[in-house]
Amino acid sequence: MRARILPACFAIIAGAVLLTSCDSSPHAGGCSVSVASSDLVGLRQQAGIPDCTPGSLAVDAKAPAASMPATSLGCLGSKQRVALSDIKGPAIVNFWSSSCGPCRQEMPALAAFAKQYAGRVSVVGVDYLDTIPSAGLLLAKQSDVHYPLLADPCGDLEQSSLKPPGVMPFFYFVKADGSISGPTMGGLDSVKQIADLAQQHGIGLSSHQAAGATP
């Protein structure tokens, strides 16, 4: 009886840990995950999530590029490939995973923030160390996400100068001059919390109500 109970207990504990904090340790060598299959492309388009084009990664095309790694990343549900250095500020870069409980709770607030401050600050998501890209796109669809999503399922950025922290979700902030601030831990649950954090990291937001904001 005890031999049967122990594995179940470990499974419950593991699930609780997963929903509390999300370890972003890199996967073992040999990782190969496609984020651009026809099914994923169709799911992204159905959800209304934009492709990762230069226009979707910046509110000002003439702004300096971000001081981020030039590591090439795939676009989640697209054959496009871009780099974090292609992002131009002011911008918020959010690292998340579909298996991360705090990420799932935060995403609807971030989607609402992106809508409220559209045209003032870009929001870019990075589905990080997530080997089930379809789960990531379904979460984004459920959260009403309409900002571009990059994907790094195999942890390529672990070998870059970015040095991501050990847990998710987390943010980097790209200022208008291309300089970056972060990483900063996320787990936020309101537009106001995200806006306050962005301003603390040098992302200027208009003091009056942004286009699309709710009263």
Side-chain angles (χ1 to χ4, degrees):
M1 175 66 73
R2 183 176 181 179
R4 290 195 297 269
I5 292 174
L6 284 176
C9 292
F10 285 130
I12 293 171
I13 293 171
V17 170
L18 179 64
L19 291 174
T20 302
S21 63
C22 305
D23 185 359
S24 62
S25 301
H27 292 286
C31 173
S32 178
V33 179
S34 172
V35 299
S37 68
S38 58
D39 288 346
L40 293 174
V41 171
L43 183 57
R44 176 186 62 78
Q45 293 173 338
Q46 182 185 36
I49 298 170
D51 207 345
C52 304
T53 62
S56 71
L57 300 177
V59 294
D60 181 2
K62 297 180 180 180
S67 301
M68 288 276 210
T71 305
S72 177
L73 298 179
C75 185
L76 187 59
S78 167
K79 297 187 182 301
Q80 293 277 2
R81 293 190 68 84
V82 297
L84 292 184
S85 57
D86 293 324
I87 299 170
K88 296 182 177 182
I92 296 176
V93 185
N94 173 246
F95 284 71
W96 59 280
S97 171
S98 64
S99 62
C100 166
C103 304
R104 300 177 71 89
Q105 295 168 10
E106 178 178 76
M107 188 171 283
L110 190 59
F113 172 91
K115 181 179 180 181
Q116 182 167 325
Y117 289 96
R120 289 170 168 77
V121 57
S122 297
V123 176
V124 180
V126 181
D127 191 12
Y128 188 55
L129 296 177
D130 191 348
T131 56
I132 308 178
S134 59
L137 279 171
L138 286 171
L139 172 60
K141 180 180 179 181
Q142 293 166 0
S143 302
D144 200 27
V145 164
H146 296 291
Y147 51 80
L149 300 173
L150 305 182
D152 185 12
C154 297
D156 292 345
L157 288 172
E158 289 284 346
Q159 307 305 316
S160 75
S161 60
L162 195 63
K163 306 300 181 187
V167 293
M168 287 185 282
F170 60 91
F171 292 97
Y172 277 92
F173 299 90
V174 183
K175 303 175 188 178
D177 63 0
S179 62
I180 64 172
S181 179
T184 298
M185 298 313 301
L188 309 180
D189 58 13
S190 72
V191 170
K192 184 180 185 305
Q193 286 182 336
I194 296 169
D196 288 347
L197 186 62
Q199 291 184 100
Q200 290 171 23
H201 285 267
I203 304 299
L205 301 174
S206 175
S207 59
H208 65 272
Q209 191 176 41
T214 54

